[in-house]
Amino acid sequence: ELDRDMMAWLTNIAEVDATQFTHDFFASGSLLRKGSVDELIGTDRKQFNEGGKFISISQVEEMDLERFSERADEMITGLERLISNKGYDVALLAVTDITKHYSKIVAVGDPRVIEALPFDEISKNVLDADGVVSRKKQIFPAVSDAIRCAAAISLESI
């Protein structure tokens, strides 16, 4: 709320339209529009060890997801290459529409973990994550839970 108040105060002083400024600011640096797949995956990527699994979670913030579908296969291939090169068990790329508080997640790797994620499958390796914007508070906990769930299912099948 303080950020909103400060934005209103500052844009009034600067005589700038906050909505237009925000759009122009984020659109100018859109990795979905202008970046390579390596930039999409590597610009904001964190790696974790969780439940014996080596995980990579990348996130890109965008103003819209218009170009997502046309680049989905390229992102899947890039994540598969990352897994092959770095030895991850699971690699995810969350592309987040910051204006609509919504993400699409490209997920590759251990199918038991991916299937246990609490997001809706749009297509193979692409998940719909409505309301998901935070890697730390939403995506990582969901992946951790999915790893535990996949491990429990594996133990039950023994």
Side-chain angles (χ1 to χ4, degrees):
E1 191 59 39
L2 178 60
D3 290 346
R4 284 183 189 52
D5 291 343
M6 291 303 293
M7 175 70 107
W9 179 69
L10 290 169
T11 56
N12 185 40
I13 291 171
E15 297 178 356
V16 173
D17 178 85
T19 303
Q20 187 64 47
F21 176 80
T22 301
H23 181 272
D24 293 347
F25 178 80
F26 282 101
S28 69
S30 170
L31 288 176
L32 197 55
R33 292 181 191 278
K34 300 175 184 177
S36 70
V37 71
D38 291 334
E39 289 172 316
L40 280 164
I41 294 168
T43 297
D44 186 10
R45 183 170 66 82
K46 305 282 190 245
Q47 59 187 27
F48 308 92
N49 279 301
E50 182 71 19
K53 299 287 185 184
F54 192 32
I55 308 156
S56 169
I57 305 175
S58 304
Q59 186 170 24
V60 175
E61 294 179 340
E62 296 284 329
M63 289 299 295
D64 60 59
L65 303 183
E66 287 178 23
R67 304 267 325 265
F68 183 91
S69 293
E70 67 190 62
R71 300 213 50 199
D73 288 340
E74 180 184 6
M75 291 183 277
I76 291 166
T77 300
L79 289 173
E80 288 170 341
R81 188 173 54 246
L82 182 68
I83 283 177
S84 176
N85 292 340
K86 301 284 187 179
Y88 293 110
D89 295 291
V90 177
L92 292 93
L93 168 60
V95 183
T96 303
D97 183 325
I98 59 170
T99 62
K100 295 181 181 171
H101 301 281
Y102 166 78
S103 295
K104 289 187 180 181
I105 298 174
V106 182
V108 301
D110 186 332
R112 295 168 301 170
V113 173
I114 294 169
E115 288 171 13
L117 289 169
F119 310 119
D120 296 325
E121 184 178 55
I122 297 173
S123 61
K124 183 168 174 40
N125 300 104
V126 179
L127 308 171
D128 185 50
D130 189 29
V132 173
V133 295
S134 173
R135 174 177 41 212
K136 181 179 176 182
K137 294 179 182 177
Q138 294 171 299
I139 300 170
F140 179 73
V143 172
S144 296
D145 289 345
I147 289 169
R148 283 192 291 282
C149 181
I153 291 169
S154 292
L155 288 174
E156 288 174 6
S157 65
I158 293 178

